[in-house]
Amino acid sequence: MHGSQSKTSLIILAALVFWLGTKVAHADDALQDFLAETLTAASGKYNFPAVAAVIQIGGEVVAEAAHGVRARDRQEAVTVDDRWHIGSNTKALTATMIARLVEQDIIRFEDSLAELLPTLANEMDPAYRSITLMQLLANTAGLPALTDGEELSQFETVIKSNPDVVAQRKAIARYYLSEPPTSVAGSFAYSNLGFIIAASIAETRTNKSWEKLISEYVFHPLGINNAGFGAPGSAKIVNQPRGHRKNWWGRLKPVEPDDEHSDNFQAFGPAGTINISLKDWMRFAQDQLDGVHGRGKLLDATTYRKLHTPVTGNYALGWGAAYQPEESGTLLLLTHSGSNGYWLAEIRIMPKRDIIVLSAINSGDAAADEAIKYIRRRIVERLKPYE
């Protein structure tokens, strides 16, 4: 090896050692042990198959842990790299994708449904014609929730004659916008339909499916590769966690990913069908946090602010948001949770101390909900993120 090559190699090696040392230095052994102990305690207390969580502070992962098995009665252990179904947390990604289209002047938040869907304007109930794109994303459009069995049965009837998912979403917009509103426009009423219709508008304007738009406008720019749609994994091998539902005897049983009931219908996607590893979900979360501080990658600072500003109560555009009353403009919390009944996932972004916490469980019953609350409470008590 020549002298110049040797010197260059030593410089590169020194830089690599420094970088690795910097990454390791950010790990908090005590916090790592605390998180692992918290997940183990939650598992024993609430009896779910598996849980995983990641804590990131100042852009660095300081603790990550996974506990349990991918499928009950199987031996495959979950890992921090596994994918989790995040349910309605999908809404924040859909809203962000829509916001990117807004910044490209393809659509506007202030556009009315009559303007956005002119071919449907005459068929719409008059109350919907002046509803805006922003109201769809803020759950103030007056649409049904689309959460109970009867509503989902009608939803299936609407989409079943259309094999193409984009056509299904158009049919959804046509049907539900022709029906009378179920709540007063401008008042908050949680609705999965608002996000599905907003995505259908985006599909019409771009000639691309919501799935392609999410990949192009959110996944790819952020380097998200370990993600997909619907129940994760293969039916042949237990290579990803399974969702779980209770059988007749009240025992949790795994739901195979090829089971037709393993997730909501594909057309439901914009409101809640993304599966993703916690590490890749953290990429999205960190960009949202960076956006709060004016350095996000996907959007301008003013657009992040619009996404994160409540329209009614504490609900913004795909986010629950809380601001500090005595300090106008100080965002304390961005949060959401999601479940299709077989999974439960939660995101909490706390900008005051640049803390992000992601957690997920592969069951979605009441015990899982209590477990997520238990994990959240312990982490908040430990980190004191609002001080």
Side-chain angles (χ1 to χ4, degrees), residues 16-196:
L16 179 60
V17 170
F18 175 78
W19 180 82
L20 288 172
T22 300
K23 300 296 280 188
V24 171
H26 284 283
D28 184 329
D29 290 340
L31 189 57
Q32 176 67 42
D33 291 343
F34 164 79
L35 182 61
E37 291 166 4
T38 295
L39 300 193
T40 301
S43 178
K45 187 176 178 67
Y46 296 103
N47 191 31
F48 47 74
V51 60
V54 179
I55 301 173
Q56 186 154 297
I57 303 177
E60 299 290 344
V61 172
V62 294
E64 58 182 14
H67 177 86
V69 292
R70 289 173 173 168
R72 179 143 286 178
D73 300 326
R74 298 292 296 263
Q75 300 301 312
E76 293 86 353
V78 291
T79 75
V80 293
D81 295 315
D82 283 350
R83 293 187 187 185
W84 303 80
H85 190 286
I86 62 171
S88 286
N89 292 291
T90 298
K91 291 178 171 65
L93 285 88
T94 296
T96 298
M97 178 273 289
I98 295 287
R100 296 205 70 193
L101 297 182
V102 168
E103 288 195 344
Q104 293 181 2
D105 294 324
I106 294 173
I107 48 181
R108 298 186 308 159
F109 284 126
E110 298 77 16
D111 287 341
S112 69
L113 291 182
E115 295 169 318
L116 293 165
L117 298 169
T119 60
L120 301 184
N122 291 334
E123 302 174 44
M124 286 181 198
D125 185 283
Y128 283 125
R129 291 174 188 160
S130 61
I131 291 295
T132 65
L133 178 61
M134 181 178 288
Q135 287 178 289
L136 292 179
L137 301 175
N139 290 319
T140 59
L143 289 160
L146 193 62
T147 54
D148 66 30
E150 184 176 343
E151 289 176 332
L152 288 171
S153 177
Q154 180 59 46
F155 184 86
E156 182 178 14
T157 300
V158 172
I159 66 174
K160 67 180 181 181
S161 61
N162 294 288
D164 176 73
V165 69
V166 173
Q168 288 177 354
R169 292 180 187 132
K170 286 182 179 178
I172 291 163
R174 181 184 299 275
Y175 174 80
Y176 286 99
L177 293 177
S178 69
E179 296 288 304
T182 56
S183 60
V184 177
S187 62
F188 179 82
Y190 191 83
S191 173
N192 290 303
L193 279 166
F195 288 82
I196 298 170

Side-chain angles (χ1 to χ4, degrees), residues 98-300:
I98 295 287
R100 296 205 70 193
L101 297 182
V102 168
E103 288 195 344
Q104 293 181 2
D105 294 324
I106 294 173
I107 48 181
R108 298 186 308 159
F109 284 126
E110 298 77 16
D111 287 341
S112 69
L113 291 182
E115 295 169 318
L116 293 165
L117 298 169
T119 60
L120 301 184
N122 291 334
E123 302 174 44
M124 286 181 198
D125 185 283
Y128 283 125
R129 291 174 188 160
S130 61
I131 291 295
T132 65
L133 178 61
M134 181 178 288
Q135 287 178 289
L136 292 179
L137 301 175
N139 290 319
T140 59
L143 289 160
L146 193 62
T147 54
D148 66 30
E150 184 176 343
E151 289 176 332
L152 288 171
S153 177
Q154 180 59 46
F155 184 86
E156 182 178 14
T157 300
V158 172
I159 66 174
K160 67 180 181 181
S161 61
N162 294 288
D164 176 73
V165 69
V166 173
Q168 288 177 354
R169 292 180 187 132
K170 286 182 179 178
I172 291 163
R174 181 184 299 275
Y175 174 80
Y176 286 99
L177 293 177
S178 69
E179 296 288 304
T182 56
S183 60
V184 177
S187 62
F188 179 82
Y190 191 83
S191 173
N192 290 303
L193 279 166
F195 288 82
I196 298 170
I197 294 172
S200 181
I201 291 166
E203 290 174 331
T204 299
R205 289 297 180 92
T206 62
N207 291 315
K208 297 177 182 179
S209 69
W210 167 79
E211 289 82 356
K212 288 182 178 179
L213 289 169
I214 286 290
S215 296
E216 179 179 339
Y217 284 92
V218 181
F219 287 172
H220 292 165
L222 296 178
I224 292 173
N225 300 307
N226 197 6
F229 307 98
S234 168
K236 296 180 180 179
I237 57 173
V238 186
N239 60 342
Q240 295 290 347
R242 302 288 199 252
H244 287 76
R245 63 175 167 228
K246 286 186 175 179
N247 61 16
W248 291 106
W249 299 276
R251 178 174 168 77
L252 287 171
K253 301 293 288 183
V255 182
E256 297 301 319
D258 61 344
D259 186 321
E260 64 176 336
H261 301 297
S262 64
D263 195 14
N264 292 307
F265 303 104
Q266 186 182 357
F268 197 93
T273 67
I274 285 178
N275 69 71
I276 192 168
S277 72
L278 295 190
K279 290 181 180 179
D280 268 0
W281 191 15
M282 187 64 79
R283 294 176 188 270
F284 174 74
Q286 185 62 51
D287 185 73
Q288 296 289 307
L289 176 55
D290 288 342
V292 174
H293 298 309
R295 54 177 184 266
K297 183 176 182 179
L298 296 182
L299 300 164
D300 292 337

Side-chain angles (χ1 to χ4, degrees), residues 290-313:
D290 288 342
V292 174
H293 298 309
R295 54 177 184 266
K297 183 176 182 179
L298 296 182
L299 300 164
D300 292 337
T302 54
T303 308
Y304 283 107
R305 182 73 174 184
K306 187 176 289 288
L307 284 181
H308 302 158
T309 299
V311 174
T312 301

